[in-house]
Amino acid sequence: MTNILSIATDPASARRTAVATLDRGELVAIPTETVYGLAADATNGAAVARIFEAKGRPRFNPLICHMADLAMAERHVAFDPVSRKLAERFWPGPLTLVLPIKPDSTIAALATAGLDTLAVRVPAGFAGGLIASLDRPLAAPSANTSGKLSPTRAEHVADDLGGRVSLILDGGPCSVGLESTIVKVEESGLTLLRPGGLCAEEIEAATGTTLRRRKAGSAIEAPGMMASHYAPAARVRVEAVRVAPGEALVNFGGQRIPGAESACVIHDLSATGDLVEAAAALFDTLKRADSAGASVIAVAPIPTTGLGEAINNRLSRAAAPRDSGSSTQTAHWTT
Ligand code: TXA
Ligand code: MG
């Protein structure tokens, strides 16, 4: 049985119920500013194992551990001046830092997949307060079945994982709508492991350095970065400059796309061409286009600047061939 609680109705009671559920080693779906997370007490190995089971994750990929604040993060990972600067500047927020794990960290080995690094972030809003109340980090991947689109509303979680999670906290739609940006910080520099809700340009401006980008098709660095199906049921066609009859159209900025009049449904991610609005709407829009029943979702071209980098990354993954899970394809993330 899945219990769904609205945070707005009674935040204090929602938090108490969530803390008690997490204390028992059960799973709670929580809203964050990026996407809904499927959370478990990161220090409880059995609880973390339930995350993999509920998601149907084929492998034990490392999970992001969510902290209440920088002080909690410092108990588990080693910061250098650059990572501390990034944390102070962008936390709470959609930035995940991959840092060396401390030998005395109490994070369950299953959450790190045995790596000597740990991915950490401090989420904004209700989630941060919940972690502070629990007083332990929360391991949380996106709250979706492995390979499906990330949820940006409580209803998405209920539709996908209802029955497999004890509690869903409904905090309304996520404000960012894309998963966090993941940056690995090493002495040799910063590497962008996953573009996301914080623009790479902002990180570069804050550090005065250029982020190394992982080349398409390059060796997979984290166990979670495998070729994967990250997609709606319909086939996704990106950079669409025309629409065939019966296709669903996902537009951006009200572009005139020939054939649009014969689309079975049209959604615009942002009629005004605002990439922030488009990011927040992306997953929900793909789900709605999918439920229109078209076999193809045609997506209009979207700029690659700012948040457009992350939006195009998710779209190209959704559009990737689905016939193989082989790691020789362009790297994707099973998330
Ligand atoms: O916005 C987000 O990041 C959401 C919300 C819930 O916080 N979480 C999320 O988690 O997207 P997940 O598990 O779906 O994606 C985590 C990614 C995976 O691709 C995983 O391989 C990578 O982070 N990762 C985790 N630990 C890592 C590590 N130590 N080194 C490199 N990559 C790591
Ligand atoms: Mg995910």
Side-chain angles (χ1 to χ4, degrees), residues 35 55 57 141-144 148 150 179 194 230 317 334-335:
V35 300
K55 277 184 73 88
R57 255 195 190 185
S142 48
N144 52 276
K148 295 270 173 60
S150 295
E179 301 88 343
R194 177 177 75 180
Y230 177 82
R317 289 163 58 197
T334 353
T335 52

Side-chain angles (χ1 to χ4, degrees), residues 9 23 67 71-72 105 109 115 144 189 236 268 288-289 299:
T9 308
D23 258 331
M67 307 285 170
M72 185 184 272
S105 166
L115 298 176
N144 52 276
V236 174
D268 199 317
R288 286 192 292 139
V299 186

Side-chain angles (χ1 to χ4, degrees), residues 155-239:
E155 304 88 276
H156 299 160
V157 183
D159 288 349
D160 187 6
L161 294 180
R164 281 186 271 161
V165 48
S166 298
L167 174 65
I168 298 173
L169 294 179
D170 185 352
C174 300
S175 60
V176 175
L178 288 177
E179 301 88 343
S180 60
T181 301
I182 305 182
V183 174
K184 185 167 189 178
V185 185
E186 294 166 295
E187 242 173 84
S188 58
L190 306 182
T191 308
L192 180 66
L193 295 182
R194 177 177 75 180
L198 178 66
C199 299
E201 290 91 329
E202 284 200 58
I203 299 169
E204 293 179 330
T207 56
T209 61
T210 307
L211 292 180
R212 281 192 294 257
R213 304 295 211 272
R214 299 171 69 254
K215 284 194 206 71
S218 65
I220 285 158
E221 181 168 337
M225 296 175 185
M226 302 285 181
S228 81
H229 322 326
Y230 177 82
R235 201 162 65 73
V236 174
R237 192 158 62 77
V238 292
E239 309 273 340

Side-chain angles (χ1 to χ4, degrees), residues 25 40-52 60 63 106-111:
D41 174 355
T43 66
N44 177 338
V48 174
R50 282 188 195 109
I51 293 178
F52 294 102
F60 290 154
L63 303 174
T106 50
I107 301 288
L110 192 54

Side-chain angles (χ1 to χ4, degrees), residues 10-321:
D10 187 348
S13 143
R15 179 154 64 204
R16 274 195 307 275
T17 308
V19 167
T21 309
L22 291 162
D23 258 331
R24 290 196 299 271
E26 295 176 20
L27 303 182
V28 179
I30 58 168
T32 81
E33 74 280 43
T34 58
V35 300
Y36 276 74
L38 182 61
D41 174 355
T43 66
N44 177 338
V48 174
R50 282 188 195 109
I51 293 178
F52 294 102
E53 182 187 50
K55 277 184 73 88
R57 255 195 190 185
R59 308 173 186 82
F60 290 154
N61 301 324
L63 303 174
I64 295 173
C65 288
H66 298 69
M67 307 285 170
D69 50 27
L70 177 55
M72 185 184 272
E74 301 224 50
R75 296 206 279 277
H76 299 279
V77 287
F79 284 81
D80 67 354
V82 176
S83 47
R84 184 167 289 107
K85 185 173 187 176
L86 286 173
E88 283 169 351
R89 169 86 174 75
F90 294 113
W91 283 354
L95 172 66
T96 294
L97 296 172
V98 174
L99 296 170
I101 191 164
K102 286 187 168 172
D104 58 349
S105 166
T106 50
I107 301 288
L110 192 54
T112 66
L115 298 176
D116 54 9
T117 54
L118 179 67
V120 289
R121 91 172 182 96
V122 175
F126 182 87
L130 171 63
I131 299 164
S133 296
L134 181 71
D135 200 24
R136 293 192 294 284
L138 286 180
S142 48
N144 52 276
T145 307
S146 194
K148 295 270 173 60
L149 292 171
S150 295
T152 55
R153 293 170 181 268
E155 304 88 276
H156 299 160
V157 183
D159 288 349
D160 187 6
L161 294 180
R164 281 186 271 161
V165 48
S166 298
L167 174 65
I168 298 173
L169 294 179
D170 185 352
C174 300
S175 60
V176 175
L178 288 177
E179 301 88 343
S180 60
T181 301
I182 305 182
V183 174
K184 185 167 189 178
V185 185
E186 294 166 295
E187 242 173 84
S188 58
L190 306 182
T191 308
L192 180 66
L193 295 182
R194 177 177 75 180
L198 178 66
C199 299
E201 290 91 329
E202 284 200 58
I203 299 169
E204 293 179 330
T207 56
T209 61
T210 307
L211 292 180
R212 281 192 294 257
R213 304 295 211 272
R214 299 171 69 254
K215 284 194 206 71
S218 65
I220 285 158
E221 181 168 337
M225 296 175 185
M226 302 285 181
S228 81
H229 322 326
Y230 177 82
R235 201 162 65 73
V236 174
R237 192 158 62 77
V238 292
E239 309 273 340
V241 291
R242 61 175 52 253
V243 186
E247 289 184 347
L249 170 63
V250 172
N251 203 349
F252 174 79
Q255 297 171 71
R256 222 192 61 73
I257 310 285
E261 61 286 348
S262 58
C264 73
V265 64
I266 302 178
H267 295 291
D268 199 317
L269 291 170
S270 167
T272 59
D274 176 353
L275 286 167
V276 174
E277 186 183 22
L282 180 66
F283 293 139
D284 186 53
T285 303
L286 287 175
K287 282 173 204 284
R288 286 192 292 139
D290 207 20
S291 60
S295 57
V296 175
I297 301 172
V299 186
I302 295 172
T304 54
T305 50
L307 282 180
E309 181 178 7
I311 295 172
N312 280 291
N313 169 279
R314 302 302 186 273
L315 285 170
S316 60
R317 289 163 58 197

